[in-house]
Amino acid sequence: MSDPVVLDQKLDLPAASALLTQLQGRKDQVLTLDFAQVKHLGTLCLQVLLSAARSAVEDGRTIEIINVSDRVEEQLRVMGMTPQRIAKGAQ
């Protein structure tokens, strides 16, 4: 089992490119995304996370999402998303 990907505190437009690079290099059988530090999740970074999750699911890998705060849960809800839907690679 590999180390979780600890996501940055602010996942906004400027963070999207670095997030994409960080996730592209990970081919773990179980890719764990740790949201413990996240305070803000923007739509572009959400798209990056969904794309990575979709690719992982298509490759037969599993996405695990941990430590999601109520604040981030609410941001996801407003965007019509949940951690479970991200983990499944939902659009």
Side-chain angles (χ1 to χ4, degrees):
M1 183 175 183
S2 60
D3 293 331
V5 176
V6 178
L7 301 173
D8 291 338
Q9 182 175 357
K10 192 170 186 180
L11 296 175
D12 56 0
L13 179 62
S17 180
L19 178 61
L20 178 62
T21 300
Q22 183 180 26
L23 294 176
Q24 282 179 328
R26 300 296 294 255
K27 300 296 180 191
D28 315 56
Q29 186 58 39
V30 177
L31 177 59
T32 302
L33 302 176
D34 186 345
F35 278 72
Q37 297 179 26
V38 179
K39 303 289 184 224
H40 173 78
L41 176 61
T43 56
L44 189 55
C45 283
L46 175 58
Q47 289 176 328
V48 170
L49 292 169
L50 285 169
S51 177
R54 194 172 309 114
S55 293
V57 169
E58 288 172 359
D59 291 345
R61 297 180 289 128
T62 303
I63 301 293
E64 181 180 70
I65 297 179
I66 61 173
N67 301 321
V68 181
S69 68
D70 290 342
R71 179 179 183 165
V72 173
E73 287 259 10
E74 178 62 16
Q75 291 171 22
L76 287 169
R77 187 194 65 74
V78 167
M79 293 184 278
M81 194 58 57
T82 64
Q84 295 79 16
R85 289 190 68 204
I86 294 171
K88 294 178 182 176
Q91 294 185 30

